[in-house]
Amino acid sequence: MAGLDWTYGVSTLRQWESADYEPSLPVSEKSNPLTRDIDRASAYSIVKMLQVCDSQMFQKEAGTIYQRLLSDQVVKTLMEVAKRVEVIIKDPQESCVVMSGCGTSGRLAFLISSGFNKALSQLNQSEVYSYIIAGGDRALLSSQEAPEDDPRLGVLNLKKVCEGKKRVLFIGISCGLSAPFVAGQLDFCLQHPEVYTPVLVGFNPAHQARDEPIQDCTFTFHSVVQRMQELAKSQKAFLINPAVGPEAISGSSRMKGGSATKILLEAAFSAAHAATSSNTPITHNGVLQHMMAYERTLAVTYSQTDGITTLVEAAGQSLQCSRHVYYLGWGSLALLGLIDASECSPTFGADYEDVRGFIRGGYRELNNNDGPLTSLGPKFSIAHEDFLHLILPCLTDKDTVLLIYTHSDDATEVGNMARRVREKTPNLHAVYHQADGDTAASLQQDDIKKLCLSTLKITWPQEALVSGTLQHMRELSTKLVLNAVSTGAHVLKGKIYQNHMIDLQVTNTKLYRRATRLLQKLSACPEEKCEEALLKAIYRVDMLTLEMTSSDITTHTCFARNSTKVVPLALVILLTGWSLVEAESHLKQQPIVREAVAQWMW
Ligand code: F1P
């Protein structure tokens, strides 16, 4: 891998592919050997590690069991999906494309459907894309992990969106091939082939799909995948499931999983749009070239390692002194800010105030199914005006503010916002996307730059403008930068142990299983002991009652919604044999989990 040999040999880059590397885990849950020491790395090294991890998305197939992003079969399937989309765009009356997912996967379904519907509207064509997110629109901005376990809810949501439709291309997204919400929808599609063509997007090989029984269901995710594989032979179902390598923070599928979802679906939809609007045929090379433009996006973005490092350091310092990070964005890039911020609470156990996103135009710009959600509580205030009223008055120089915009946004408006923030804090930074040779914009940009402590300027070649891929590139680039900022900042805050998030929320079955596994790995205790400690931490008792031990996982995860520091507590109990009260008081004195447990770990 030219240019990516930063302290790593090819064998380390590909170590996760070996059959004996964490063999019991699917790729999406494996820990990445590249980031084993990310918890002790400097901001610069963190960014470098993330770069190498992201580059794994584009590694070529190497004779292992793993299909990769650019594998022939993946491109072929994308072409077939693009052809189905083309038919729907040309005859939109009673047909539609529905994307559905949980957490990040649902948020990306929203982002992608918004972008492509806008593109259709601009051409005076009917909008054909819809999104479903488990837990409804509130999940776009907040963590709603429990609905992920509910296959029936998935089906209800799907039926509602597809009412009256005669032809539906359903795209279920589950990075880990694991969400029962999505499995239920795919199963429903398989039962109604006269209307539905199911497509599954995820990042594990089919045999690694989750095979755990789903309550009151006769199918598992794995059995649904098997049925789809059978139908895929006659192109009545499609599986798009390349491996992109383990996440930098184990299981954090918001990172590569989210990026790869965006890359795959945009490549297919762009090909379909080009086919309908300019009669460009859908070709293997066309789809491949589009995907390779994303590979260049990684290179363009990470060529700014120093700039990204500055942002990670600033955000890390803010979080370390319990202050905040604010993303103030314009257009679709602001959406990536909202998404990144909303993921911090489920991923890092963060408070919603730690990292927050705001979008110019608020819900008008968001244009989500359910309209304004402001009445749901303070975390749903997302407009720049909300930032000015609620946050600005209390802003200090310990808070970090990031302006996220492009040369086509209103520079006067950006400048005004920069000045208002600057009156309160010098800790203002910019992530600015410009097109190569765009000198007109750079004069106003100079004024904004003077107000900012740092400016991460990402320059896109003119060819991106011509090929119409610019928006997608800028969005992916912004996603990578913000993922690096929020992940890096939480790593610097001490939220990660090796490359595991210890303080994860245990709010659905997948997370419950991940928590138990993590406890086993870190304490070296047997599974039953780990589960026992986990339950003690969830129910906050030293002695578990029969009612507790005999309840199902759903009951445990419902209860866990109101418990904090569950996994760290369980770990301290396992390592020390202390009582719950002793463990709690220890964690209160040393809230950095890594430090709190370090003395017993080696
Ligand atoms: C869905 C998801 C993730 C989130 C968390 C819980 O995963 O909600 O987006 O980050 O890990 O699960 P998946 O169904 O896409 O694998």
Side-chain angles (χ1 to χ4, degrees), residues 166-366:
K166 296 228 163 78
R167 178 170 33 207
V168 177
L169 185 69
F170 172 76
I171 305 179
I173 312 163
S174 179
C175 297
L177 303 190
S178 64
F181 183 88
V182 174
Q185 295 173 325
L186 290 169
D187 171 72
F188 178 77
C189 293
L190 291 169
Q191 288 180 44
H192 298 90
E194 65 293 351
V195 175
Y196 295 91
T197 305
V199 181
L200 169 60
V201 174
F203 304 100
N204 287 319
H207 70 275
Q208 291 181 359
R210 185 165 157 194
D211 207 14
E212 185 173 343
I214 303 172
Q215 212 174 16
D216 302 328
C217 288
T218 51
F219 55 84
T220 66
F221 207 111
H222 186 262
S223 72
V224 169
V225 170
Q226 280 180 326
R227 280 152 66 201
M228 284 186 70
Q229 275 182 308
E230 209 35 54
L231 287 175
K233 291 178 190 157
S234 51
Q235 300 198 329
K236 292 197 178 99
F238 299 95
L239 282 121
I240 309 172
N241 60 324
V244 291
E247 297 289 353
I249 304 301
S250 310
S252 182
S253 54
R254 76 185 193 113
M255 302 183 81
K256 284 197 277 193
S259 301
T261 300
K262 185 166 158 54
I263 293 170
L264 291 167
L265 294 180
E266 288 177 354
F269 298 166
S270 298
H273 281 228
T276 37
S277 61
S278 52
N279 274 331
T280 319
I282 295 168
T283 63
H284 194 279
N285 195 40
V287 174
L288 187 64
Q289 288 306 321
H290 194 98
M291 299 228 279
M292 284 164 72
Y294 292 99
E295 191 176 9
R296 289 196 293 282
T297 301
L298 259 61
V300 169
T301 307
Y302 281 114
S303 68
Q304 305 276 351
T305 303
D306 290 342
I308 304 174
T309 302
T310 303
L311 299 179
V312 170
E313 270 165 355
Q317 273 164 20
S318 293
L319 294 189
Q320 278 172 66
C321 59
S322 302
R323 292 302 304 181
H324 313 298
V325 179
Y326 299 109
Y327 302 147
L328 301 180
W330 277 258
S332 67
L333 303 190
L335 201 48
L336 289 149
L338 290 174
I339 292 177
D340 186 85
S342 70
E343 291 163 346
C344 289
S345 66
T347 312
F348 305 109
D351 192 86
Y352 84 91
E353 287 182 293
D354 292 353
V355 182
R356 283 190 73 170
F358 295 91
I359 183 168
R360 184 207 176 268
Y363 286 98
R364 199 170 7 98
E365 176 72 32
L366 203 66

Side-chain angles (χ1 to χ4, degrees), residues 49 89 109 120 124 145 159 187 198 218 222 262 334 346 380 387 390 458 463 466 480 484 502 513 520 588:
M49 285 181 192
I89 296 174
L120 288 174
N124 278 329
E145 308 291 343
K159 280 188 188 161
D187 171 72
T218 51
H222 186 262
K262 185 166 158 54
F380 295 94
F387 172 81
L390 303 169
I458 304 182
E463 72 193 53
V466 178
L480 298 175
I502 309 184
R513 297 276 180 234
Q520 271 176 273
K588 229 175 234 144

Side-chain angles (χ1 to χ4, degrees), residues 275-519:
T276 37
S277 61
S278 52
N279 274 331
T280 319
I282 295 168
T283 63
H284 194 279
N285 195 40
V287 174
L288 187 64
Q289 288 306 321
H290 194 98
M291 299 228 279
M292 284 164 72
Y294 292 99
E295 191 176 9
R296 289 196 293 282
T297 301
L298 259 61
V300 169
T301 307
Y302 281 114
S303 68
Q304 305 276 351
T305 303
D306 290 342
I308 304 174
T309 302
T310 303
L311 299 179
V312 170
E313 270 165 355
Q317 273 164 20
S318 293
L319 294 189
Q320 278 172 66
C321 59
S322 302
R323 292 302 304 181
H324 313 298
V325 179
Y326 299 109
Y327 302 147
L328 301 180
W330 277 258
S332 67
L333 303 190
L335 201 48
L336 289 149
L338 290 174
I339 292 177
D340 186 85
S342 70
E343 291 163 346
C344 289
S345 66
T347 312
F348 305 109
D351 192 86
Y352 84 91
E353 287 182 293
D354 292 353
V355 182
R356 283 190 73 170
F358 295 91
I359 183 168
R360 184 207 176 268
Y363 286 98
R364 199 170 7 98
E365 176 72 32
L366 203 66
N367 197 20
N368 53 312
N369 285 342
D370 299 348
L373 304 172
T374 339
S375 61
L376 295 178
K379 70 172 99 163
F380 295 94
S381 295
I382 55 165
H384 282 186
E385 289 74 24
D386 295 321
F387 172 81
L388 293 172
H389 291 140
L390 303 169
I391 308 290
L392 191 73
C394 320
L395 206 65
T396 78
D397 55 7
K398 300 261 189 315
D399 298 308
T400 300
V401 181
L402 248 71
L403 303 171
I404 306 161
Y405 64 104
T406 77
H407 67 277
S408 32
D409 293 310
D410 183 342
T412 311
E413 217 180 86
V414 181
N416 287 342
M417 180 60 94
R419 268 180 287 279
R420 303 273 310 257
V421 172
R422 195 64 176 76
E423 282 163 14
K424 288 290 200 169
T425 173
N427 202 359
L428 171 68
H429 305 259
V431 178
Y432 168 62
H433 295 264
Q434 69 163 24
D436 207 6
D438 193 3
T439 45
S442 62
L443 284 173
Q444 276 175 312
Q445 176 51 28
D446 279 349
D447 288 341
I448 300 169
K449 193 174 169 191
K450 282 185 203 138
L451 295 166
C452 294
L453 211 53
S454 82
T455 297
L456 181 65
K457 190 163 79 180
I458 304 182
T459 307
W460 298 98
Q462 285 290 339
E463 72 193 53
L465 276 173
V466 178
S467 66
T469 53
L470 182 62
Q471 188 190 339
H472 300 153
M473 307 299 121
R474 288 194 304 220
E475 285 175 1
L476 180 64
S477 175
T478 304
K479 177 178 184 297
L480 298 175
V481 170
L482 299 185
N483 284 173
V485 169
S486 56
T487 302
H490 281 99
V491 171
L492 293 174
K493 194 183 176 185
K495 284 287 194 171
I496 303 296
Y497 181 80
Q498 292 172 348
N499 51 11
H500 297 284
M501 174 57 207
I502 309 184
D503 196 2
L504 72 153
Q505 291 185 341
V506 192
T507 38
N508 65 35
T509 319
K510 175 176 86 174
L511 299 171
Y512 184 91
R513 297 276 180 234
R514 189 185 292 166
T516 313
R517 255 193 339 259
L518 189 57
L519 289 171

